[in-house]
Amino acid sequence: TSVGSITTFTQRNLEGYVGFANLPNQVYRKSVKRGFEFTLMVVGESGLGKSTLINSLFLTDLYSKDYPGPSQRIKKTVQVEQSKVLIKEGGVQLTLTIVDTPGFGDAVDNSNCWQPVINYIDSKCEDFLNAESRVNRRSMPDNRVHCCLYFIAPSGHGLKPLDIEFMKRLHDKVNVIPLIAKADTLTPEECQLFKKQIMKEIQEHKIKIYEFPDTEDDEDNKLIRKIKEKMPLAVVGSNVVIEVNGKKVRGRQYPWGVAEVENGEHCDFTVLRNMLIRTHMQDLKDVTNNVHYENYRSKKLAAVTCNGVDTSKTKGQLTKSPLAQMEEERREHVMKMKKMEAEMEQVFEMKVKEKKQKLKDSEAELERRHEQMKRNLEAQYKELEEKRRVFEEEKANWEAQQRILEQQKLDASKTMEKNKKKGKIF
Amino acid sequence: MIGHTSVAVGGLYGEKASGPTVDFSYVGIDAILEQMRRKAMKQGFELNIMVVGQSGLGKSTLMNTLFKSKVSRKSVLATSQEKIPKTIEIKSISHDIEEKGVRMKLTVIDTPGFGDQINNENCWQPIMKFINDQYEAYLQEEININRKKRIPDSRVHCCIYFIPPTGHCLRPLDVEFMRRLSKVVNIVPVIAKADTLTLEERDFFKKKIREELRANGIDVYPQKEFDEDAEDRMINEKIREMIPFAVVGSDQEYQVNGRRLLGRKTKWGTIEVENIAHCEFAYLRDLLIRTHMQNIKDITSSIHYEMYRVRRLNENNTVVAHANGIPEHHLAAHEM
């Protein structure tokens, strides 16, 4: 082992052109060929402009008249719907998945309306975990939710209890970026106060929203600090193009003026778009992979190894060595086998008893029937005997009668003979 | 004036008429209007308005705007932080305001905490209980043997319900609340913070809301069945076509075109609260104060209160809790 030696890294100057400066290009080319995936989730009460903002962000009509956004349809329970769209720009291909949560916060009783959202995120992480643990991992589609935009209603006061609950439950499962929706309802002063109040409450409740990482570049850091000051971003969405002072802009036309979507003075839409798509999309994916997904994975796997039973509720700890672990598993297995054996024997015994009982019963039944039949037969026999006796009697009677008749006939003929002999018949 | 022309009449004893003609046909019944006016000025008026809606919809601001003075709860009870209370509270603040010699005792009843919790089941119950308690108090005064000359009227005359400007449709909570409360009080629904909707979105939203109100059988003020004659019906139909009013409130003044106006200033323009091209605040104010205030009070006392009274006197000794919307079927059973 190299405990004693310390490897030192010294910066060396190259004497010629080696060529590994070309590595970023190779990575770039490979990524472009592979294409990119990004999953964005939008959560908020209906009517806060989520569908409009998505359409504005990606300049496509994900939700159009033919396929209206979920807000136009009233939902009784919270649903989680996903729609995939493939967009191309400059040779780069992006598979964008938008996950929408219609019905969130719309009912009278909104307890646990965050549960379907949590279930969805967890199930996507589970899919990825399973795909990662497979033997053949050639294609691993990444459907994990990379970013969750949470829409806050522009009340101007502070966060609602529902907002706080939701963010508290989701901040360690996904990157949460809170946004102030429909920001054209706030004057600049109200907006400032509102943002300050929200950030204060977020800190009070220890909610971990997505933090922009500091880079080594000072210039970038300045920009990042500016963005951080504007959090949460106040956005306005629109895909309607209006002409203002001869220029075509996207905005909302009011009787008192036009609120321009891409004007930095009017709202923070451009900041959001730049941050989400142009500068920090990869970072969001990295944080999802390295932090949120790892959280999920360690929780899940620890639970599995601790009990031998997959209960994701209990948190296990890997404190035993693998051998002891195996020994314990074997013992457990043996015990389980013994128990099963005992159970089976019991079941067997019971079955045997049952069968015996059944046989006895059927035997008794047969006996009974046999007896019955015998009695029947005897009865019939007696009956017949009786009949015969009666018959014999009758026969005897009839014979007796016949003999009497015969006798009478004989007597009659005898007297006739006597009379003839006397010959005196006149 | 009774329609007679003045004629010079001779005296009782036949003397010739002399001097300027006297109008003997004028009785003077119309002078009663002047007497009533003087009495009303002396007595003053009472108006009790309740505002209901989720926190952050501009209720307090709208009240301040309506009466052009700081009448809302927030202006009176200075709270440094706007904390959402855990349960619904009912806070009543009374003011005496005067204009051109007419005095009014205005009571604004606020309901912080309504619709703000995660579980808003039955959040209308405390409100219904409050309204019924006011009716009860009035009833007790009325049936007293020695009763006061003027019973103090704390009954809720009008309930302004604030609908959040989602632009799509009514939420289940809105429907539930309005369905139950339209039976005990005059409800005036308004679209809050209407500066978030463009004109097309506003029209679409209003149409959707009217449809849903009709579909659920919710009768908001002005109710169709209480139109007394054709003239009333015509005026009220016009109002009914505009309901719910899309309002914007503000208690700050800005300079617009050389005039000082109430409004909201954004980077892309200034919203003038009293400009009917911008929002319908002016219509709401006219309805509540300038044209229909007396009508609102009349309907409260002659219809809603009477309904309560009949129900109550028929109940004999049964508990009043039945009337507070807790078990719906009990309520239905006691309905006339």
Side-chain angles (χ1 to χ4, degrees):
Chain A
T1 59
S2 59
V3 177
S5 65
I6 302 169
T7 12
T8 46
F9 292 104
T10 50
Q11 196 149 9
R12 290 183 192 280
N13 287 327
L14 300 171
E15 279 146 38
Y17 176 65
V18 179
F20 60 80
N22 212 24
L23 273 168
N25 283 346
Q26 297 176 26
V27 174
Y28 171 81
R29 254 180 288 146
K30 211 164 199 184
S31 317
V32 168
K33 233 193 332 192
R34 216 177 22 213
F36 295 88
E37 296 170 306
F38 192 69
T39 303
L40 180 67
M41 177 182 262
V42 282
V43 183
E45 287 177 6
S46 88
L48 285 180
K50 303 189 292 288
S51 314
T52 314
L53 190 76
I54 297 292
N55 283 352
S56 312
L57 268 175
F58 296 100
L59 288 178
T60 59
D61 268 338
L62 206 69
Y63 296 121
S64 60
K65 280 211 177 46
D66 311 318
Y67 178 62
S71 297
Q72 305 282 352
R73 313 169 248 142
I74 311 290
K75 287 289 191 290
K76 292 272 172 206
T77 57
V78 183
Q79 316 275 328
V80 180
E81 294 179 351
Q82 82 176 23
S83 25
K84 271 195 206 279
V85 75
L86 183 64
I87 35 187
K88 280 201 192 154
E89 188 184 57
V92 178
Q93 193 170 281
L94 175 68
T95 308
L96 177 69
T97 310
I98 304 285
V99 183
D100 209 329
T101 54
F104 179 86
D106 284 338
V108 178
D109 181 359
N110 291 313
S111 323
N112 290 329
C113 65
W114 46 79
Q115 200 54 48
V117 177
I118 293 182
N119 290 345
Y120 179 85
I121 295 176
D122 279 345
S123 81
K124 292 296 169 208
C125 280
E126 186 167 333
D127 289 344
F128 193 78
L129 181 62
N130 290 339
E132 218 183 29
S133 326
R134 271 208 307 253
V135 173
N136 183 0
R137 321 194 276 189
R138 195 160 303 254
S139 69
M140 260 196 334
D142 186 2
N143 285 322
R144 294 170 295 187
V145 180
H146 299 121
C147 175
C148 175
L149 297 177
Y150 187 74
F151 286 69
I152 301 171
S155 66
H157 294 312
L159 290 175
K160 291 210 273 244
L162 179 62
D163 302 335
I164 297 172
E165 250 333 287
F166 179 85
M167 288 201 276
K168 272 210 318 221
R169 282 167 194 269
L170 260 85
H171 64 168
D172 50 9
K173 290 190 184 281
V174 71
N175 295 319
V176 175
I177 299 183
L179 299 173
I180 299 178
K182 294 199 168 179
D184 53 350
T185 206
L186 300 165
T187 64
E189 303 84 33
E190 292 170 351
C191 199
Q192 277 300 102
L193 277 168
F194 192 33
K195 285 186 181 184
K196 252 201 254 169
Q197 179 66 23
I198 292 180
M199 288 316 278
K200 197 166 84 149
E201 290 191 26
I202 284 181
Q203 267 157 21
E204 252 175 42
H205 289 97
K206 299 210 194 10
I207 296 173
K208 298 184 277 228
I209 57 176
Y210 174 69
E211 293 222 346
F212 297 88
D214 282 328
T215 59
E216 284 147 6
D217 193 339
D218 272 334
E219 277 294 320
D220 279 349
N221 273 347
K222 261 200 268 187
L223 277 162
I224 287 175
R225 226 168 298 134
K226 264 213 227 142
I227 297 176
K228 279 198 185 171
E229 279 168 30
K230 291 196 186 193
M231 291 287 272
L233 301 170
V235 292
V236 175
S238 170
N239 257 345
V240 177
V241 179
I242 301 170
E243 196 152 321
V244 173
N245 296 337
K247 216 171 34 148
K248 281 201 193 276
V249 286
R250 289 195 294 143
R252 291 173 62 73
Q253 173 96 51
Y254 294 111
W256 47 88
V258 176
E260 295 170 38
V261 165
E262 282 166 333
N263 186 334
E265 304 228 322
H266 291 190
C267 71
D268 299 328
F269 173 79
T270 34
V271 176
L272 176 71
R273 184 190 52 198
N274 292 345
M275 183 271 289
L276 198 59
I277 303 175
R278 295 181 191 175
T279 52
H280 285 84
M281 190 183 265
Q282 189 55 41
D283 185 65
L284 282 165
K285 290 174 74 169
D286 288 338
V287 173
T288 308
N289 190 33
N290 301 340
V291 178
H292 298 297
Y293 173 67
E294 286 303 314
N295 268 345
Y296 172 83
R297 185 173 172 280
S298 50
K299 266 194 237 168
K300 196 82 186 332
L301 292 183
V304 171
T305 44
C306 179
N307 292 336
V309 183
D310 184 2
T311 51
S312 42
K313 290 196 178 94
T314 56
K315 281 203 190 143
Q317 273 172 324
L318 287 157
T319 50
K320 308 191 178 83
S321 74
L323 237 71
Q325 191 80 16
M326 272 170 61
E327 186 57 43
E328 193 175 298
E329 275 184 22
R330 200 184 64 81
R331 241 179 300 136
E332 253 189 60
H333 186 81
V334 164
M335 263 179 51
K336 208 159 78 164
M337 287 284 113
K338 275 219 193 100
K339 201 163 93 167
M340 276 174 73
E341 206 179 310
E343 265 178 35
M344 279 204 201
E345 261 180 51
Q346 230 183 18
V347 170
F348 182 70
E349 286 266 352
M350 218 173 57
K351 284 221 165 109
V352 165
K353 235 197 307 187
E354 251 184 62
K355 197 73 184 210
K356 276 206 188 136
Q357 185 70 20
K358 247 204 228 161
L359 281 165
K360 234 196 300 184
D361 281 340
S362 65
E363 206 181 305
E365 177 79 22
L366 272 163
E367 279 267 350
R368 203 175 51 81
R369 260 201 271 152
H370 182 82
E371 285 291 308
Q372 181 108 1
M373 273 173 78
K374 217 161 76 169
R375 261 180 274 136
N376 271 1
L377 267 160
E378 276 186 26
Q380 277 188 2
Y381 188 69
K382 279 212 185 93
E383 221 181 286
L384 272 163
E385 282 280 336
E386 182 74 28
K387 276 204 184 140
R388 171 185 279 222
R389 199 179 51 77
V390 168
F391 174 70
E392 295 276 327
E393 244 183 61
E394 266 191 49
K395 187 166 152 203
N397 276 355
W398 186 78
E399 276 188 4
Q401 268 193 358
Q402 283 294 96
R403 259 180 275 138
I404 293 177
L405 270 167
E406 284 257 353
Q407 193 68 29
Q408 278 185 350
K409 232 196 242 167
L410 223 68
D411 284 341
S413 63
K414 261 194 198 146
T415 46
M416 261 188 79
E417 287 248 343
K418 238 190 206 171
N419 286 348
K420 245 185 197 167
K421 269 194 186 150
K422 281 194 177 166
K424 287 183 183 167
I425 303 172
F426 33 118
Chain B
M1 179 116 125
I2 304 173
H4 273 30
T5 46
S6 0
V7 168
V9 181
L12 274 168
Y13 301 105
E15 306 115 4
K16 263 265 176 83
S18 56
T21 53
V22 179
D23 194 350
F24 277 93
S25 53
Y26 170 61
V27 179
I29 296 176
D30 61 341
I32 189 129
L33 290 174
E34 181 60 33
Q35 296 170 36
M36 283 185 71
R37 213 180 133 263
R38 252 182 286 144
K39 175 166 174 220
M41 297 271 284
K42 247 202 297 198
Q43 263 181 1
F45 296 90
E46 282 174 318
L47 184 66
N48 305 322
I49 300 187
M50 178 184 261
V51 280
V52 183
Q54 276 186 329
S55 114
L57 286 181
K59 305 188 289 290
S60 307
T61 314
L62 190 73
M63 282 294 112
N64 287 352
T65 320
L66 263 177
F67 295 100
K68 291 239 173 73
S69 55
K70 305 251 185 248
V71 295
S72 74
R73 165 185 59 95
K74 291 212 194 122
S75 317
V76 173
L77 312 166
T79 44
S80 54
Q81 262 185 344
E82 193 52 40
K83 282 260 180 201
I84 295 178
K86 292 282 172 197
T87 56
I88 303 174
E89 302 167 347
I90 308 234
K91 294 211 166 102
S92 223
I93 314 248
S94 289
H95 301 267
D96 277 315
I97 48 185
E98 187 186 318
E99 188 183 56
K100 293 210 184 116
V102 180
R103 284 179 303 119
M104 181 154 96
K105 177 160 179 275
L106 171 72
T107 307
V108 177
I109 304 153
D110 205 340
T111 54
F114 175 84
D116 286 328
Q117 314 307 322
I118 294 179
N119 182 354
N120 292 312
E121 204 70 50
N122 294 331
C123 63
W124 46 80
Q125 262 171 33
I127 297 175
M128 278 188 82
K129 181 169 179 312
F130 179 83
I131 294 176
N132 284 328
D133 283 347
Q134 307 312 308
Y135 288 150
E136 181 67 23
Y138 196 86
L139 180 67
Q140 291 302 330
E141 282 293 333
E142 224 185 27
I143 61 181
N144 243 344
I145 298 174
N146 297 322
R147 56 186 186 188
K148 300 197 188 122
K149 193 163 69 164
R150 252 197 100 205
I151 305 174
D153 191 358
S154 64
R155 300 173 293 192
V156 179
H157 297 128
C158 170
C159 173
I160 305 184
Y161 186 74
F162 286 70
I163 301 173
T166 60
H168 295 306
C169 57
L170 286 177
R171 299 168 307 153
L173 177 64
D174 302 331
V175 173
E176 274 307 310
F177 180 87
M178 285 201 275
R179 199 159 55 89
R180 288 159 200 271
L181 258 78
S182 57
K183 301 200 178 98
V184 294
V185 73
N186 295 322
I187 290 198
V188 177
V190 296
I191 300 177
K193 294 200 168 178
D195 56 346
T196 204
L197 300 167
T198 62
L199 293 178
E200 303 89 41
E201 292 169 352
R202 182 198 293 181
D203 287 333
F204 174 78
F205 192 32
K206 282 213 231 184
K207 223 183 0 199
K208 262 331 262 305
I209 292 179
R210 279 197 293 267
E211 267 172 34
E212 281 197 57
L213 289 178
R214 240 196 318 265
N216 284 291
I218 301 173
D219 249 338
V220 298
Y221 184 82
Q223 296 94 333
K224 255 204 181 116
E225 45 185 339
F226 306 139
D227 284 340
E228 282 172 20
D229 51 33
E231 193 188 321
D232 265 356
R233 209 168 309 138
M234 213 172 58
I235 301 174
N236 289 345
E237 270 306 316
K238 279 216 208 91
I239 296 172
R240 280 191 277 265
E241 275 165 32
M242 284 203 286
I243 287 211
F245 294 117
V247 296
V248 175
S250 167
D251 42 15
Q252 284 184 314
E253 284 186 350
Y254 291 100
Q255 194 92 348
V256 177
N257 293 338
R259 293 179 299 158
R260 283 200 73 79
L261 294 169
L262 283 177
R264 290 171 61 73
K265 188 164 177 163
T266 60
K267 285 256 160 41
W268 50 90
T270 304
I271 305 160
E272 296 162 40
V273 167
E274 288 181 0
N275 184 340
I276 50 177
H278 288 189
C279 76
E280 296 175 340
F281 168 80
Y283 293 128
L284 177 71
R285 179 199 55 205
D286 289 347
L287 179 81
L288 278 183
I289 303 176
R290 295 187 191 175
T291 55
H292 284 68
M293 190 198 284
Q294 192 54 40
N295 182 244
I296 288 175
K297 291 174 70 173
D298 284 341
I299 292 188
T300 306
S301 78
S302 61
I303 296 181
H304 293 296
Y305 172 67
E306 286 301 314
M307 255 174 65
Y308 177 82
R309 187 171 166 278
V310 169
R311 197 165 49 209
R312 202 57 187 87
L313 296 181
N314 276 338
E315 270 173 17
N316 277 335
N317 289 324
T318 41
V319 185
V320 186
H322 280 235
N324 288 342
I326 297 167
E328 264 266 299
H329 52 277
H330 283 207
L331 193 71
H334 283 123
E335 210 121 59
M336 304 155 309

PDB file of all heavy atoms in Angstrom, chain A residues 45 326 341 397 406:
ATOM      1  N   GLU A  45     -51.482  26.039  -8.337  1.00  0.00           N
ATOM      2  CA  GLU A  45     -52.927  26.048  -8.470  1.00  0.00           C
ATOM      3  C   GLU A  45     -53.300  26.364  -9.912  1.00  0.00           C
ATOM      4  O   GLU A  45     -52.520  26.969 -10.645  1.00  0.00           O
ATOM      5  CB  GLU A  45     -53.519  27.139  -7.579  1.00  0.00           C
ATOM      6  CG  GLU A  45     -53.466  26.806  -6.129  1.00  0.00           C
ATOM      7  CD  GLU A  45     -54.003  27.964  -5.283  1.00  0.00           C
ATOM      8  OE1 GLU A  45     -54.504  28.941  -5.858  1.00  0.00           O
ATOM      9  OE2 GLU A  45     -53.879  27.856  -4.072  1.00  0.00           O
ATOM     10  N   MET A 326     -24.234 -12.546   5.566  1.00  0.00           N
ATOM     11  CA  MET A 326     -24.618 -13.779   4.897  1.00  0.00           C
ATOM     12  C   MET A 326     -25.030 -14.831   5.908  1.00  0.00           C
ATOM     13  O   MET A 326     -26.018 -15.537   5.726  1.00  0.00           O
ATOM     14  CB  MET A 326     -23.446 -14.310   4.052  1.00  0.00           C
ATOM     15  CG  MET A 326     -23.437 -13.721   2.663  1.00  0.00           C
ATOM     16  SD  MET A 326     -21.961 -14.084   1.759  1.00  0.00           S
ATOM     17  CE  MET A 326     -21.991 -15.862   1.683  1.00  0.00           C
ATOM     18  N   GLU A 341     -41.748 -26.147   7.329  1.00  0.00           N
ATOM     19  CA  GLU A 341     -41.908 -27.588   7.466  1.00  0.00           C
ATOM     20  C   GLU A 341     -42.932 -27.896   8.539  1.00  0.00           C
ATOM     21  O   GLU A 341     -43.853 -28.690   8.340  1.00  0.00           O
ATOM     22  CB  GLU A 341     -40.559 -28.193   7.842  1.00  0.00           C
ATOM     23  CG  GLU A 341     -40.412 -29.638   7.421  1.00  0.00           C
ATOM     24  CD  GLU A 341     -39.046 -30.149   7.821  1.00  0.00           C
ATOM     25  OE1 GLU A 341     -38.056 -29.472   7.504  1.00  0.00           O
ATOM     26  OE2 GLU A 341     -39.005 -31.211   8.476  1.00  0.00           O
ATOM     27  N   ASN A 397    -110.804 -73.215   1.476  1.00  0.00           N
ATOM     28  CA  ASN A 397    -112.249 -72.953   1.497  1.00  0.00           C
ATOM     29  C   ASN A 397    -112.905 -73.375   0.186  1.00  0.00           C
ATOM     30  O   ASN A 397    -113.902 -74.097   0.143  1.00  0.00           O
ATOM     31  CB  ASN A 397    -112.502 -71.453   1.694  1.00  0.00           C
ATOM     32  CG  ASN A 397    -112.474 -71.054   3.152  1.00  0.00           C
ATOM     33  OD1 ASN A 397    -112.355 -71.966   4.005  1.00  0.00           O
ATOM     34  ND2 ASN A 397    -112.608 -69.786   3.440  1.00  0.00           N
ATOM     35  N   GLU A 406    -119.826 -81.195  -5.079  1.00  0.00           N
ATOM     36  CA  GLU A 406    -119.716 -82.522  -5.691  1.00  0.00           C
ATOM     37  C   GLU A 406    -120.659 -83.495  -4.987  1.00  0.00           C
ATOM     38  O   GLU A 406    -121.384 -84.283  -5.606  1.00  0.00           O
ATOM     39  CB  GLU A 406    -118.291 -83.047  -5.566  1.00  0.00           C
ATOM     40  CG  GLU A 406    -117.308 -82.407  -6.532  1.00  0.00           C
ATOM     41  CD  GLU A 406    -116.981 -83.344  -7.711  1.00  0.00           C
ATOM     42  OE1 GLU A 406    -117.424 -84.523  -7.692  1.00  0.00           O
ATOM     43  OE2 GLU A 406    -116.340 -82.900  -8.644  1.00  0.00           O
TER      44      GLU A 406
END
